[in-house]
Protein backbone atom coordinates (compact mmCIF):
# COMPACT_ATOMS: atom_id res chain seq x y z
CA UNK A 1 0.00 0.00 0.00
CA UNK A 2 1.05 3.62 -0.49
CA UNK A 3 2.40 5.40 2.53
CA UNK A 4 0.35 8.58 3.15
CA UNK A 5 3.16 10.02 5.27
CA UNK A 6 5.39 10.56 2.26
CA UNK A 7 5.79 14.35 1.73
CA UNK A 8 4.76 14.06 -1.91
CA UNK A 9 1.59 12.05 -1.25
CA UNK A 10 -1.80 13.18 0.03
CA UNK A 11 -4.79 11.32 1.44
CA UNK A 12 -7.00 9.73 -1.21
CA UNK A 13 -10.08 11.54 0.07
CA UNK A 14 -8.81 14.98 -0.93
CA UNK A 15 -10.03 16.42 -4.22
CA UNK A 16 -7.65 18.11 -6.59
CA UNK A 17 -8.86 21.28 -8.37
CA UNK A 18 -8.80 20.96 -12.11
CA UNK A 19 -6.21 23.23 -13.75
CA UNK A 20 -7.54 25.64 -16.31
CA UNK A 21 -5.50 23.95 -19.03
CA UNK A 22 -7.74 20.92 -18.62
CA UNK A 23 -10.89 22.74 -19.67
CA UNK A 24 -10.16 22.02 -23.33
CA UNK A 25 -12.48 19.37 -24.77
CA UNK A 26 -12.08 18.04 -28.30
CA UNK A 27 -14.94 16.13 -29.92
CA UNK A 28 -14.08 12.77 -31.46
CA UNK A 29 -16.31 11.91 -34.40
CA UNK A 30 -16.91 8.17 -34.62
CA UNK A 31 -17.24 6.34 -37.92
CA UNK A 32 -20.28 4.06 -37.78
CA UNK A 33 -19.60 1.81 -40.76
CA UNK A 34 -16.49 -0.36 -41.24
CA UNK A 35 -15.98 1.04 -44.76
CA UNK A 36 -15.98 4.59 -43.44
CA UNK A 37 -13.47 3.60 -40.75
CA UNK A 38 -11.34 2.04 -43.46
CA UNK A 39 -11.34 5.26 -45.51
CA UNK A 40 -10.58 7.31 -42.38
CA UNK A 41 -7.64 5.07 -41.51
CA UNK A 42 -6.25 5.33 -45.04
CA UNK A 43 -6.46 9.12 -44.89
CA UNK A 44 -4.75 9.22 -41.48
CA UNK A 45 -1.97 6.87 -42.62
CA UNK A 46 -1.09 9.28 -45.44
CA UNK A 47 -0.75 12.24 -43.07
CA UNK A 48 2.78 11.31 -41.98
CA UNK A 49 5.28 13.43 -40.05
CA UNK A 50 7.00 15.98 -42.24
CA UNK A 51 8.63 17.76 -39.31
CA UNK A 52 7.59 16.64 -35.84
CA UNK A 53 9.32 19.57 -34.16
CA UNK A 54 7.23 22.15 -36.03
CA UNK A 55 4.00 23.67 -34.82
CA UNK A 56 1.37 21.39 -36.36
CA UNK A 57 -2.28 22.37 -36.47
CA UNK A 58 -4.28 19.76 -34.65
CA UNK A 59 -7.05 17.93 -36.46
CA UNK A 60 -9.63 15.74 -34.68
CA UNK A 61 -8.73 12.06 -34.90
CA UNK A 62 -11.80 10.49 -36.51
CA UNK A 63 -10.57 6.92 -36.25
CA UNK A 64 -12.52 4.44 -34.17
CA UNK A 65 -10.87 3.53 -30.86
CA UNK A 66 -11.53 0.84 -28.30
CA UNK A 67 -13.67 1.95 -25.39
CA UNK A 68 -11.94 1.86 -22.01
CA UNK A 69 -13.89 -1.27 -21.10
CA UNK A 70 -12.84 -2.98 -24.33
CA UNK A 71 -9.21 -1.97 -23.84
CA UNK A 72 -9.24 -3.33 -20.28
CA UNK A 73 -10.58 -6.65 -21.55
CA UNK A 74 -7.89 -6.84 -24.24
CA UNK A 75 -5.04 -6.17 -21.80
CA UNK A 76 -6.47 -8.33 -19.04
CA UNK A 77 -6.43 -11.23 -21.50
CA UNK A 78 -2.96 -10.36 -22.78
CA UNK A 79 -1.47 -10.47 -19.30
CA UNK A 80 2.32 -10.79 -19.17
CA UNK A 81 2.62 -11.01 -22.97
CA UNK A 82 2.60 -7.19 -23.10
CA UNK A 83 6.24 -6.23 -23.64
CA UNK A 84 6.11 -3.02 -25.68
CA UNK A 85 9.26 -1.54 -24.15
CA UNK A 86 11.32 -4.59 -25.17
CA UNK A 87 9.57 -5.50 -28.44
CA UNK A 88 11.06 -5.24 -31.93
CA UNK A 89 9.26 -1.94 -32.54
CA UNK A 90 9.35 -0.61 -28.97
CA UNK A 91 12.83 -1.60 -27.79
CA UNK A 92 14.77 0.98 -29.88
CA UNK A 93 12.44 3.80 -28.84
CA UNK A 94 12.74 2.85 -25.18
CA UNK A 95 16.52 2.83 -25.50
CA UNK A 96 16.39 6.27 -27.16
CA UNK A 97 14.23 7.53 -24.28
CA UNK A 98 16.70 6.33 -21.66
CA UNK A 99 19.56 8.01 -23.51
CA UNK A 100 17.80 11.32 -24.08
CA UNK A 101 15.90 11.95 -20.84
CA UNK A 102 17.54 13.05 -17.59
CA UNK A 103 16.23 10.29 -15.37
CA UNK A 104 19.15 9.68 -13.04
CA UNK A 105 18.52 12.87 -11.08
CA UNK A 106 14.76 12.32 -10.74
CA UNK A 107 13.35 11.99 -7.22
CA UNK A 108 9.81 11.05 -8.23
CA UNK A 109 8.78 9.25 -11.44
CA UNK A 110 5.16 8.68 -12.45
CA UNK A 111 4.26 6.18 -15.18
CA UNK A 112 0.87 6.23 -16.86
CA UNK A 113 0.06 2.84 -18.36
CA UNK A 114 2.60 0.52 -16.78
CA UNK A 115 1.59 -2.62 -18.66
CA UNK A 116 3.16 -5.61 -16.95
CA UNK A 117 5.81 -3.44 -15.28
CA UNK A 118 8.80 -4.16 -17.48
CA UNK A 119 9.86 -0.53 -17.95
CA UNK A 120 9.33 0.27 -14.27
CA UNK A 121 11.51 -2.65 -13.21
CA UNK A 122 14.20 -1.69 -15.72
CA UNK A 123 14.33 1.93 -14.55
CA UNK A 124 14.35 1.08 -10.86
CA UNK A 125 17.03 -1.58 -11.32
CA UNK A 126 19.45 0.21 -13.64
CA UNK A 127 18.73 3.94 -14.01
CA UNK A 128 17.02 5.66 -11.07
CA UNK A 129 18.86 6.41 -7.84
CA UNK A 130 18.11 4.39 -4.73
CA UNK A 131 15.87 7.00 -3.10
CA UNK A 132 13.74 7.77 -6.16
CA UNK A 133 10.01 7.18 -5.67
CA UNK A 134 8.12 5.42 -8.49
CA UNK A 135 4.35 5.40 -8.92
CA UNK A 136 2.79 3.41 -11.79
CA UNK A 137 -0.87 3.38 -12.79
CA UNK A 138 -2.90 1.35 -15.28
CA UNK A 139 -6.58 0.77 -16.00
CA UNK A 140 -6.19 -3.01 -16.29
CA UNK A 141 -6.34 -4.81 -12.91
CA UNK A 142 -4.31 -7.71 -14.35
CA UNK A 143 -1.56 -5.39 -15.55
CA UNK A 144 -1.50 -3.57 -12.19
CA UNK A 145 -1.10 -6.87 -10.34
CA UNK A 146 1.74 -7.92 -12.66
CA UNK A 147 3.44 -4.56 -12.20
CA UNK A 148 3.18 -4.71 -8.42
CA UNK A 149 4.71 -8.19 -8.43
CA UNK A 150 7.73 -6.76 -10.26
CA UNK A 151 7.90 -3.72 -7.97
CA UNK A 152 7.75 -5.62 -4.68
CA UNK A 153 11.51 -6.25 -4.75
CA UNK A 154 12.09 -2.48 -4.82
CA UNK A 155 10.43 -1.94 -1.44
CA UNK A 156 8.25 0.94 -0.31
CA UNK A 157 9.56 3.38 -2.89
CA UNK A 158 7.64 1.75 -5.77
CA UNK A 159 3.88 1.24 -6.07
CA UNK A 160 1.27 0.28 -8.67
CA UNK A 161 -2.31 1.54 -8.65
CA UNK A 162 -5.41 0.81 -10.72
CA UNK A 163 -7.24 3.90 -11.98
CA UNK A 164 -10.67 4.51 -13.47
CA UNK A 165 -13.11 7.32 -14.12
CA UNK A 166 -11.93 10.88 -14.79
CA UNK A 167 -8.30 10.57 -15.85
CA UNK A 168 -7.56 14.20 -14.93
CA UNK A 169 -8.27 13.22 -11.32
CA UNK A 170 -6.28 9.97 -11.31
CA UNK A 171 -3.76 9.53 -8.49
CA UNK A 172 -5.24 12.26 -6.29
CA UNK A 173 -3.05 10.91 -3.48
CA UNK A 174 -0.03 12.53 -5.15
CA UNK A 175 0.63 16.19 -4.45
CA UNK A 176 0.46 18.72 -7.27
CA UNK A 177 3.92 19.44 -8.69
CA UNK A 178 5.51 16.49 -6.88
CA UNK A 179 6.62 14.58 -9.97
CA UNK A 180 9.96 15.12 -11.73
CA UNK A 181 9.28 12.83 -14.71
CA UNK A 182 5.94 11.72 -16.17
CA UNK A 183 6.30 8.67 -18.44
CA UNK A 184 3.82 7.11 -20.85
CA UNK A 185 4.92 4.59 -23.47
CA UNK A 186 2.62 2.96 -26.03
CA UNK A 187 -0.53 4.07 -24.22
CA UNK A 188 -1.72 7.33 -25.77
CA UNK A 189 -1.88 5.61 -29.16
CA UNK A 190 -4.76 3.56 -27.73
CA UNK A 191 -6.79 6.47 -26.36
CA UNK A 192 -9.38 8.84 -27.78
CA UNK A 193 -8.66 12.54 -28.23
CA UNK A 194 -10.52 13.35 -25.00
CA UNK A 195 -8.58 10.80 -23.00
CA UNK A 196 -5.23 11.94 -24.44
CA UNK A 197 -6.11 15.49 -23.38
CA UNK A 198 -7.06 14.20 -19.93
CA UNK A 199 -3.75 12.33 -19.50
CA UNK A 200 -1.76 15.43 -20.48
CA UNK A 201 -3.83 17.49 -18.04
CA UNK A 202 -2.95 14.94 -15.36
CA UNK A 203 0.71 15.31 -16.32
CA UNK A 204 0.42 19.09 -16.07
CA UNK A 205 -1.03 18.80 -12.57
CA UNK A 206 1.53 16.33 -11.27
CA UNK A 207 4.76 17.56 -12.87
CA UNK A 208 6.72 20.36 -11.21
CA UNK A 209 7.72 23.44 -13.24
CA UNK A 210 10.81 22.42 -15.21
CA UNK A 211 9.92 18.74 -14.91
CA UNK A 212 9.62 16.35 -17.84
CA UNK A 213 6.90 14.57 -19.74
CA UNK A 214 8.28 11.67 -21.80
CA UNK A 215 5.99 10.06 -24.37
CA UNK A 216 6.54 7.15 -26.74
CA UNK A 217 4.02 5.69 -29.17
CA UNK A 218 3.49 4.31 -32.64
CA UNK A 219 3.76 6.85 -35.45
CA UNK A 220 3.63 7.09 -39.23
CA UNK A 221 6.29 5.70 -41.53
CA UNK A 222 9.05 7.85 -43.00
CA UNK A 223 10.30 5.42 -45.69
CA UNK A 224 8.37 3.55 -48.40
CA UNK A 225 8.46 0.28 -46.45
CA UNK A 226 7.59 1.83 -43.08
CA UNK A 227 4.79 3.87 -44.70
CA UNK A 228 3.37 0.67 -46.12
CA UNK A 229 3.69 -1.07 -42.73
CA UNK A 230 1.99 1.77 -40.82
CA UNK A 231 -0.73 1.90 -43.47
CA UNK A 232 -1.42 -1.82 -43.12
CA UNK A 233 -1.38 -1.47 -39.33
CA UNK A 234 -3.89 1.37 -39.63
CA UNK A 235 -6.20 -0.73 -41.79
CA UNK A 236 -6.09 -3.61 -39.30
CA UNK A 237 -6.85 -1.12 -36.52
CA UNK A 238 -9.83 0.23 -38.48
CA UNK A 239 -11.35 -3.22 -38.99
CA UNK A 240 -10.21 -5.23 -35.94
CA UNK A 241 -8.57 -2.87 -33.42
CA UNK A 242 -8.24 -5.54 -30.73
CA UNK A 243 -5.80 -7.48 -32.94
CA UNK A 244 -3.25 -4.65 -32.61
CA UNK A 245 -4.11 -3.95 -28.97
CA UNK A 246 -6.09 -0.85 -29.93
CA UNK A 247 -2.87 0.97 -30.95
CA UNK A 248 -2.69 3.09 -34.11
CA UNK A 249 0.03 5.34 -35.58
CA UNK A 250 -0.34 8.99 -34.59
CA UNK A 251 1.50 12.28 -34.11
CA UNK A 252 1.36 13.45 -30.49
CA UNK A 253 3.07 16.83 -30.98
CA UNK A 254 -0.15 18.81 -31.59
CA UNK A 255 -1.64 17.54 -28.33
CA UNK A 256 0.97 19.37 -26.22
CA UNK A 257 -0.13 22.84 -25.20
CA UNK A 258 2.06 25.93 -24.85
CA UNK A 259 2.64 24.94 -21.22
CA UNK A 260 5.18 22.44 -22.53
CA UNK A 261 8.42 23.14 -24.38
CA UNK A 262 9.34 20.23 -26.62
CA UNK A 263 13.08 19.60 -26.44
CA UNK A 264 13.10 16.37 -28.42
CA UNK A 265 10.71 14.96 -31.02
CA UNK A 266 12.21 12.00 -32.82
CA UNK A 267 11.00 9.22 -35.11
CA UNK A 268 12.73 5.99 -34.06
CA UNK A 269 12.92 2.94 -36.37
CA UNK A 270 11.88 -0.40 -34.91
CA UNK A 271 11.75 -3.14 -37.50
CA UNK A 272 9.39 -1.98 -40.26
CA UNK A 273 7.40 0.18 -37.82
CA UNK A 274 8.19 3.64 -36.48
CA UNK A 275 7.79 5.07 -32.99
CA UNK A 276 7.67 8.69 -31.91
CA UNK A 277 9.68 9.87 -28.91
CA UNK A 278 8.72 13.19 -27.32
CA UNK A 279 10.44 14.86 -24.39
CA UNK A 280 9.05 18.17 -23.13
CA UNK A 281 9.67 20.46 -20.16
CA UNK A 282 6.82 22.05 -18.21
CA UNK A 283 7.08 25.82 -18.36
CA UNK A 284 4.68 26.76 -15.55
Amino acid sequence: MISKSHPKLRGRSQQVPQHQVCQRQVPVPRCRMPFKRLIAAMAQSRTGLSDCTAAVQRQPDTRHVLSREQAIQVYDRAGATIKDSSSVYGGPATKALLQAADLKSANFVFEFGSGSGGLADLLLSTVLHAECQYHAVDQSPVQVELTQQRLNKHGDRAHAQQISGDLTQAATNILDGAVDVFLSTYVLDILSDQDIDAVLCLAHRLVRPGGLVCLVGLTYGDTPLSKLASGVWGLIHALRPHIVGGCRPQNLVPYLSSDWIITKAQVVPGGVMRSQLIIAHKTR
Side-chain angles (χ1 to χ4, degrees):
M1 298 298 293
I2 301 171
S3 172
K4 296 182 180 179
S5 62
H6 192 278
K8 294 185 178 182
L9 302 181
R10 58 154 64 88
R12 292 179 183 269
S13 61
Q14 297 187 22
Q15 296 297 317
V16 180
Q18 194 173 22
H19 193 277
Q20 60 181 1
V21 74
C22 299
Q23 300 301 319
R24 177 165 51 96
Q25 295 294 329
V26 179
V28 179
R30 293 294 181 89
C31 302
R32 295 182 179 276
M33 299 298 292
F35 180 74
K36 292 183 178 180
R37 294 205 302 269
L38 181 67
I39 297 301
M42 292 176 66
Q44 290 282 359
S45 67
R46 290 196 295 265
T47 301
L49 291 173
S50 57
D51 181 2
C52 59
T53 62
V56 181
Q57 183 177 2
R58 174 168 164 187
Q59 299 295 329
D61 190 338
T62 60
R63 292 171 294 180
H64 176 72
V65 297
L66 295 176
S67 68
R68 288 196 204 172
E69 293 74 18
Q70 291 171 330
I72 290 172
Q73 291 175 3
V74 168
Y75 286 90
D76 278 353
R77 288 196 300 265
T81 64
I82 302 301
K83 298 178 180 180
D84 286 329
S85 61
S86 59
S87 66
V88 172
Y89 63 84
T94 301
K95 183 178 179 179
L97 167 64
L98 299 184
Q99 293 174 342
D102 180 17
L103 300 178
K104 292 184 178 180
S105 62
N107 294 314
F108 199 123
V109 174
F110 183 97
E111 183 182 6
F112 184 91
S114 61
S116 59
L119 179 59
D121 189 21
L122 174 66
L123 292 176
L124 287 161
S125 299
T126 64
V127 178
L128 303 174
H129 67 76
E131 302 301 320
C132 180
Q133 298 286 314
Y134 199 101
H135 193 86
V137 300
D138 203 289
Q139 297 185 88
S140 162
V142 172
Q143 298 298 325
V144 169
E145 182 179 356
L146 291 170
T147 297
Q148 189 59 62
Q149 289 174 4
R150 287 178 181 256
L151 297 185
N152 285 337
K153 65 183 178 182
H154 299 288
D156 291 339
R157 69 189 184 109
H159 308 278
Q161 175 187 355
Q162 183 184 357
I163 57 172
S164 61
D166 183 0
L167 297 180
T168 66
Q169 298 299 313
T172 55
N173 53 310
I174 299 179
L175 294 173
D176 295 2
V179 171
D180 297 301
V181 179
F182 184 104
L183 293 173
S184 187
T185 62
Y186 300 101
V187 177
L188 301 191
D189 50 17
I190 304 172
L191 304 181
S192 67
D193 272 2
Q194 293 102 322
D195 282 348
I196 294 173
D197 287 335
V199 172
L200 293 176
C201 286
L202 173 65
H204 189 276
R205 175 173 71 80
L206 295 179
V207 174
R208 63 172 176 80
L212 297 179
V213 62
C214 301
L215 309 174
V216 177
L218 287 179
T219 197
Y220 306 101
D222 57 357
T223 66
L225 181 57
S226 62
K227 288 178 181 179
L228 175 62
S230 65
V232 171
W233 187 296
L235 296 182
I236 296 172
H237 177 272
L239 297 175
R240 295 289 187 270
H242 64 279
I243 294 178
V244 290
C247 302
R248 81 279 193 196
Q250 63 184 179
N251 176 17
L252 290 173
V253 170
Y255 290 88
L256 291 167
S257 70
S258 59
D259 292 321
W260 301 97
I261 296 178
I262 297 176
T263 56
K264 191 174 189 64
Q266 177 183 356
V267 175
V268 183
V272 297
M273 294 300 294
R274 297 293 183 265
S275 294
Q276 184 182 42
L277 165 62
I278 295 177
I279 299 175
H281 288 79
K282 180 180 173 182
T283 60
R284 57 183 176 87

